[in-house]
Amino acid sequence: QVQLVESGGGLVQPGGSLRLSCAASGSIGSINAMGWYRQAPGKQREMVATITSGGMTNYADSVKGRFTLSRNNAKNTRDLQMNNLKPEDTAVYYCMMIVVTGIYWGQGTQVTVSS
């Protein structure tokens, strides 16, 4: 079993920045891929950014050039740096991880971009 806990969400003005963190614990083993998804009210969950075990990244067109995946080795977290945030980025953001035993999701963290 794998547990994922997101943190770092909040309220930010348009043009601002936030850094989301995903802390994983449990029987992780080998990680095949991890990423961030988001779901806005009334919309389907969508991929934001993913990275494979081989280091291949994939970003949604709407966030390219603004969001960046990274790994914080000191804190053992996988982070999503979000810059130049826009109101349309408002959503609940979920961390996802694929390991040998399956796909796991965090509980989500709210990001609200508003003036």
Side-chain angles (χ1 to χ4, degrees), residues 84-104:
N84 190 22
L85 284 160
K86 304 176 181 181
E88 51 264 40
D89 294 318
T90 296
V92 178
Y93 284 70
Y94 298 90
C95 176
M96 178 278 298
M97 187 171 288
I98 301 175
V99 298
V100 173
T101 54
I103 301 174
Y104 295 89

Side-chain angles (χ1 to χ4, degrees), residues 103-114:
I103 301 174
Y104 295 89
W105 296 87
Q107 82 288 349
T109 185
Q110 176 70 47
V111 171
T112 302
V113 185
S114 176

Side-chain angles (χ1 to χ4, degrees), residues 10-107:
L11 173 64
V12 64
Q13 293 186 341
S17 298
L18 282 175
R19 188 177 185 91
L20 304 183
S21 290
C22 177
S25 62
S27 303
I28 300 172
S30 177
I31 299 173
N32 294 329
M34 71 82 56
W36 290 89
Y37 284 68
R38 68 186 181 187
Q39 188 167 18
K43 295 187 177 181
Q44 290 187 333
R45 189 173 297 189
E46 63 176 0
M47 185 276 293
V48 176
T50 60
I51 183 168
T52 67
S53 59
M56 183 176 298
T57 57
N58 186 33
Y59 292 92
D61 288 342
S62 59
V63 307
K64 283 180 181 177
R66 301 188 298 121
F67 291 12
T68 304
L69 282 169
S70 66
R71 178 170 181 168
N72 187 324
N73 290 324
K75 296 183 178 181
N76 195 25
T77 61
R78 280 78 174 177
D79 298 348
L80 182 68
Q81 177 67 40
M82 307 186 295
N83 298 328
N84 190 22
L85 284 160
K86 304 176 181 181
E88 51 264 40
D89 294 318
T90 296
V92 178
Y93 284 70
Y94 298 90
C95 176
M96 178 278 298
M97 187 171 288
I98 301 175
V99 298
V100 173
T101 54
I103 301 174
Y104 295 89
W105 296 87
Q107 82 288 349

